[in-house]
Each structure stands twice: as C-alpha cells, then as structure tokens.
Amino acid sequence: MKNTYLLVLAAAYLMLNNKLFAQDSEEANTLLGSNNSINTENLGFFIAPSFGLTQMDGSTASFFNLRGGISLKDQLSIGAYFNTSINQIYPESETVPNIYMDYWTVGGFAEYTLFSKKVFHLSLPVYLGYGEVQMDNENGTAGLGEANFFQVEPSALLEVNLHKNVRFNLGAGYRIIGDMTYRNFNQSDLSGLTGYIGLKIGLFK
C-alpha cells in the first residue's frame, strides 16, 4: 500500500512538473506580439507634390505643397508636409504700397484612401500645421513683423492610377486658420477653400 501511495505521488509530481515546463516554453501573449505585429510587406511610401489656388483677403494666392509619408495597406497614411506661396499676395486691406504677403505652413498629415486599387478612387488627407505670414517688398522683408498661427485643413482628392507607382489627383481642401491678427486682417481673411492638382509618386502596397 505504501509503495502504491509513493507511485501515485511520483506520477502526480511528474505530470505537474511537465505541465509547468510546457507552460514556460510557450510564447507569452502580448499586445504587440508576432500575431499582431505590423507586416513590413504592407508598408509603402510616397512623395506628393501639388499646386493649390485660393483667395486670401481678396487676393489670389497660389501654393506649392510637398508632402511625403508612409502608408499601411495603401489605405492609412501618415507623414509631413510643407506648403508655401509662390506668387506675390496683395491683401485688399493693406494700405502701404509696393509690399506683398508671403505665406507658409509646415506640419503633419494623416490620410485615408478608399478603393485604392481601382483606377479612380478617393483620398482624404487632413493637414495639421504651424504657419507664418509676413509682408515683404523687392528688397526683402518690409520691416513690418510677422504673425504665426496654427492651421487645420481637411481635404478630399479624386485620384487616378496612371501607373503602379504614379497617381494623379485633383480636389479641394478647406483651410481653417487659428486665432491671429496681422496688419489689417485676421484669421477669417486667411481661411478658405483651396483647389489642388498634383501627383503622388511612390511604392504602393
């Protein structure tokens, strides 16, 4: 009887020990474990130059916008952008002659793309940035200071797949300028609709 009792205890010990060892050898479950990690095969990248046309304080303004970023499954993209005026902007409210306004913003963007594998599809970038306006003249700065502001611009672009690595886009965004005052105008004179035309060049996955 005593031997039988010892055999049962030994068997129980071995079973428990083997179970604990098997549990220790299993890979731990984690929030970002191998089953949940981002597959680099789904990551793409791109650069996207574009031109914009808008109105600021009653004057026509043209922009050059350059952005670049990475995309996940050709749907969700994040990156950085730079936007600057390329013409001399003459605000209607300005009273000093022979000066013009320069404008630029820089920041980041997030973009969601619908049906990217279709020839025609929709892309929805949202820009969040920091910017500046300043009055200049032919000699450079006009000595009238500058004003800084924050800007948000939701946009919608119709994209066309020209090539597996090149897309053409056309659309518009609405520029929302944060609280600012400069010379005789404020944020309401700078906020407004911008039309865009451009390209997106990259590796889309």
Side-chain angles (χ1 to χ4, degrees), residues 55-62 87-102 135-138 185:
Q55 288 275 319
M56 287 186 164
D57 192 16
S59 179
T60 299
S62 56
N87 72 315
Q88 296 178 350
I89 306 169
Y90 295 96
E92 285 186 348
S93 62
E94 183 55 59
T95 57
V96 176
N98 301 320
I99 62 174
Y100 59 88
M101 185 178 74
D102 280 331
M135 302 306 294
D136 291 333
N137 57 30
E138 292 182 358
F185 61 83

Side-chain angles (χ1 to χ4, degrees), residues 38-58:
I38 296 175
N39 189 341
T40 56
E41 292 181 357
N42 295 326
L43 290 178
F45 62 90
F46 63 88
I47 58 170
S50 64
F51 291 94
L53 192 65
T54 188
Q55 288 275 319
M56 287 186 164
D57 192 16

Side-chain angles (χ1 to χ4, degrees), residues 70-83:
I70 58 173
S71 61
L72 177 62
K73 294 183 178 180
D74 203 10
Q75 291 180 328
L76 182 63
S77 304
I78 57 172
Y81 81 94
F82 176 71
N83 192 11

Side-chain angles (χ1 to χ4, degrees), residues 47-50 67 159 162 166-169 197-201:
I47 58 170
S50 64
R67 62 190 175 106
E159 287 193 331
L162 301 178
V166 181
R167 294 173 178 174
F168 170 81
N169 56 64
I197 184 171
L199 295 174
K200 185 184 288 185
I201 305 163

Side-chain angles (χ1 to χ4, degrees), residues 17-38:
N17 190 49
N18 287 337
K19 185 176 181 180
L20 290 173
F21 181 80
Q23 287 179 342
D24 289 341
S25 65
E26 291 179 2
E27 185 177 351
N29 292 322
T30 63
L31 185 61
L32 297 176
S34 59
N35 292 332
N36 299 317
S37 60
I38 296 175

Side-chain angles (χ1 to χ4, degrees), residues 94-116:
E94 183 55 59
T95 57
V96 176
N98 301 320
I99 62 174
Y100 59 88
M101 185 178 74
D102 280 331
Y103 162 97
W104 61 261
T105 60
V106 64
F109 72 91
E111 179 180 31
Y112 188 73
T113 303
L114 299 167
F115 311 114
S116 61

Side-chain angles (χ1 to χ4, degrees), residues 2 10 13 15 23-25 61 72 78 84 86 99 101 106 111 116 132-133 139 148 161 172 182:
K2 183 177 180 180
Y13 173 78
M15 289 176 62
Q23 287 179 342
D24 289 341
S25 65
L72 177 62
I78 57 172
T84 184
I86 56 177
I99 62 174
M101 185 178 74
V106 64
E111 179 180 31
S116 61
E132 178 184 283
V133 288
N139 298 320
N148 301 108
N161 291 336
Y182 181 63

